[in-house]
Each structure stands twice: as C-alpha cells, then as structure tokens.
Amino acid sequence: PYSGPVELQDMQAVEQMFDVNVLGYQRMARAVLPAMRARRAGLIVNVSSQLGRMVVPFGGVYAATKFAVEAMSEQMAYELAPR
C-alpha cells in the first residue's frame, strides 16, 4: 500500500505516511524548540532520504513526504539561524 502510482495510492496509507514522515518531525520540533530557545542552544537533526531530492517510479508518495521533510528542515534552518 506504500508504493505504486500516485493516483492509485490508498488515501489512508498516504495520510499515515505523511503523519509519520512529515508531521512527526514537526511535532518533535514543536516539543523541543521552546527549551532550546530558553537555553539559547540546541541542535535538531532531521534524517531524510535520497528520495527527498529525487523521484523513482512508483515511489511518489514516499518521495513527497521526504521532499516535505527537506523543505521543512531548510525553512527551519532559515527561521532559526538568527537565534
């Protein structure tokens, strides 16, 4: 249920994949950032995949989640750099 043509993906599986692979990273960041700001120190390391920068046949939804992790990580780096 986690690979195949994007148009045929089971929507529940897609939601589950985004919940774990994208929203999980955001939940963790939201949980740790207040303490990191208070200490004025910290490091967040998000582990992604090569599929966060390229696509392969029938891996579109998984790749989309990893592209999202890459984008969110880059955005957080810009937003948090001044701190």
Side-chain angles (χ1 to χ4, degrees), residues 26-72:
Q26 179 157 1
R27 287 185 195 103
M28 185 59 67
R30 289 177 60 120
V32 301
L33 280 170
M36 289 172 60
R37 281 195 184 94
R39 282 193 312 272
R40 300 184 60 101
L43 178 67
I44 295 175
V45 177
N46 289 335
V47 178
S48 183
S49 166
Q50 287 181 332
L51 292 178
R53 297 289 180 177
M54 58 182 259
V55 296
V56 296
F58 307 114
V61 174
Y62 177 80
T65 68
K66 295 305 177 175
F67 268 82
V69 168
E70 294 288 331
M72 187 168 54

Side-chain angles (χ1 to χ4, degrees), residues 1-15:
Y2 296 107
S3 65
V6 172
E7 68 179 307
L8 301 178
Q9 291 291 296
D10 175 76
M11 288 308 296
Q12 186 175 8
V14 171
E15 289 172 2

